[in-house]
Amino acid sequence: MSNLDLLLKNISSNEKYPINFAELEQAAKEKLEVGPFGYIRSSAGGEETLRKNTESFAKYSIVPRFLNDVSSLNTEITLFGQIYPHPLFVAPVGMNKIAHEDGEIAVAKAAAKYNFPYIQSTVSSYSIEEVAAATEGSTKWFQLYWSKNKEISYNIVKRAEKAGYKAIVVTVDTVMLGWREEDLRNQFSPLKKGIAKGNFITDPVFMASLPDQTEDSIINGIVDYLYHPSLNWDAIAELKEQTSLPILIKGILHPEDAKLAIEKGIDGIIVSNHGGRQLDGVVASIDALPEIVEAVDGRIPVLFDSGIRRGADALKALALGATAVCIGRPFVWGLAAGGQAGVERVLESFLEETKVSISLSGVRHVTDLHKLKVVKS
């Protein structure tokens, strides 16, 4: 039975597992304590943006074309001179140990199995080097939180480059933490529990910056590293001088910022509102995407993040002009529910549903998806 028959293969299977996002979330809830579950599930403020991220997809409808030969689907994309087998990435999500002891290593291994480029977070539970050693040969990018202590940021980037990571993703919407009521209610902070320290305790520049090597100093140092309200375009220009890797900016929602990114020599953009976890009440990522694609006009890649829950969502984002899409919360629920095997199940289903959706839209090459007619209600 071919990969395209995944539906029938799974209907014939005796294995029971969560099928959709809601079932994944419920399975994770049964495994996790209240604090970690609330941290992963929730978003900022009244969670208006969290709801809009998913609900807004329903406003966009694909108008498929039929009687096209879609027997030989090609999902390959090219980014920064490298060919990727499909346009699905694993989004940077930090502190994965709150979901499962194996954390980022389990996620990165699952990503490698299905050829999902893995974007590792600065605030990982495991270090760059640990993840690289566990997934030798797979494609990895590194997400960077920029700091006012530039030397630490520079050194972390150099470590990622040395470990074979292929790009740097600078998140720009997190100069301070968003107002998250669920964490206040549960009195839970994975940062304060030291779950974010994988890349920090292994960094000599960071450790040398501390007054002492105690756990409290390390955690306070990480919190101080992440708080950077003065972040601006000059810092990005400085970073470009420190690495030969492509630099993408994650968190862009305004078309004028997209134009500025091009002017500043940025290599790519990830349209994202951080899954609604930063500023509540902002535009849904999928609603921001078309204007940014128009503003960029093909000059640099535009990736998409926030609200992707299934392959049909990925199809819509790609049809609206995204070069690739990043999957976040679904894989975290898979990790919580079943470790590496749970993540593998999520990624396999995403990949196969996306392929089926592209074929059923009448397109046989992913780069032609932008030609699809999309209507907005």
Side-chain angles (χ1 to χ4, degrees):
M1 189 172 291
S2 73
N3 288 335
L4 293 179
D5 297 321
L6 184 70
L7 175 67
L8 296 180
K9 181 175 73 176
N10 282 293
I11 287 174
S12 303
S13 172
N14 292 321
E15 184 183 357
K16 300 297 182 182
Y17 52 87
I19 299 294
N20 59 31
F21 184 80
E23 292 174 7
L24 277 167
E25 184 177 304
Q26 181 58 38
K29 186 176 183 179
E30 293 169 4
K31 293 284 186 76
L32 297 174
E33 295 181 358
V34 171
F37 176 78
Y39 180 85
I40 298 165
R41 185 214 63 78
S42 65
S43 285
E47 300 187 342
E48 174 190 329
T49 301
L50 174 64
R51 292 188 295 274
K52 286 196 296 190
N53 272 344
T54 53
E55 293 169 0
S56 291
F57 275 94
K59 297 186 296 188
Y60 297 89
S61 299
I62 300 292
V63 183
R65 299 295 303 272
F66 297 117
L67 296 174
N68 291 329
D69 181 356
V70 292
S71 59
S72 57
L73 175 64
N74 187 334
T75 58
E76 287 184 348
I77 63 169
T78 301
L79 281 171
F80 313 121
Q82 181 170 343
I83 297 173
Y84 294 87
H86 54 73
L88 302 178
F89 281 58
V90 171
V93 178
M95 300 178 283
N96 289 174
K97 260 194 176 183
I98 67 170
H100 190 278
E101 181 63 25
D102 295 338
E104 290 80 8
I105 289 177
V107 178
K109 285 182 174 179
K113 181 174 180 177
Y114 290 100
N115 292 311
F116 279 64
Y118 173 69
I119 310 177
Q120 183 179 351
S121 171
T122 295
V123 289
S124 293
S125 305
Y126 291 93
S127 70
I128 292 165
E129 293 78 13
E130 288 172 313
V131 171
T135 55
E136 188 175 352
S138 69
T139 301
K140 292 171 283 290
W141 293 5
F142 187 78
Q143 175 271 330
L144 179 71
Y145 284 123
W146 188 254
S147 174
K148 53 183 175 286
N149 189 330
K150 296 182 288 188
E151 297 307 317
I152 301 173
S153 298
Y154 293 159
N155 199 59
I156 290 175
V157 168
K158 288 172 184 175
R159 289 169 57 196
E161 191 165 2
K162 183 178 179 181
Y165 287 55
K166 300 298 184 184
I168 301 298
V169 175
V170 183
T171 298
V172 296
D173 60 8
T174 315
V175 297
M176 62 187 72
L177 294 178
W179 189 257
R180 302 173 190 171
E181 293 180 0
E182 187 76 0
D183 296 338
L184 289 170
R185 183 177 299 111
N186 295 328
Q187 291 292 288
F188 180 78
S189 168
L191 273 175
K192 288 194 170 184
K193 289 182 177 294
I195 299 172
K197 63 185 181 181
N199 283 318
F200 292 96
I201 60 174
T202 53
D203 194 275
V205 180
F206 172 79
M207 295 300 287
S209 72
L210 303 178
D212 55 59
Q213 308 294 291
T214 64
E215 185 75 359
D216 283 347
S217 285
I218 291 169
I219 291 170
N220 290 336
I222 294 171
V223 172
D224 186 60
Y225 176 95
L226 295 173
Y227 184 79
H228 189 17
S230 60
L231 180 65
N232 58 65
W233 287 104
D234 291 341
I236 308 301
E238 291 176 24
L239 179 61
K240 282 185 65 66
E241 298 175 1
Q242 297 294 319
T243 181
S244 61
L245 295 178
I247 294 176
L248 299 90
I249 289 183
K250 177 177 178 286
I252 296 296
L253 295 170
H254 199 295
E256 292 303 317
D257 283 340
K259 292 176 184 177
L260 272 174
I262 295 171
E263 289 177 16
K264 301 293 184 179
I266 301 304
D267 300 293
I269 287 169
I270 302 182
V271 176
S272 170
N273 58 33
H274 215 103
R277 294 174 63 78
Q278 282 303 106
L279 175 60
D280 194 28
V282 304
V283 61
S285 286
I286 195 66
D287 289 333
L289 178 62
E291 282 191 79
I292 291 179
V293 168
E294 183 180 3
V296 169
D297 194 26
R299 288 174 285 180
I300 57 175
V302 176
L303 283 69
F304 179 84
D305 170 274
S306 300
I308 296 284
R309 298 291 181 264
R310 54 177 65 249
D313 296 337
L315 171 64
K316 290 179 181 181
L318 294 166
L320 289 170
T323 307
V325 300
C326 303
I327 298 161
R329 276 190 181 92
F331 85 73
V332 185
W333 291 145
L335 178 65
Q340 181 180 334
V343 181
E344 288 177 3
R345 173 67 70 179
V346 170
L347 298 185
E348 181 187 31
S349 294
F350 254 98
L351 179 57
E352 295 304 328
E353 187 189 354
T354 301
K355 287 180 177 179
V356 168
S357 299
I358 293 170
S359 294
L360 288 175
S361 75
V363 171
R364 57 186 174 186
H365 197 297
V366 69
T367 56
D368 290 331
L369 279 173
H370 69 281
K371 299 176 184 177
L372 273 180
K373 183 177 181 180
V374 182
V375 295
K376 185 178 179 182
S377 57

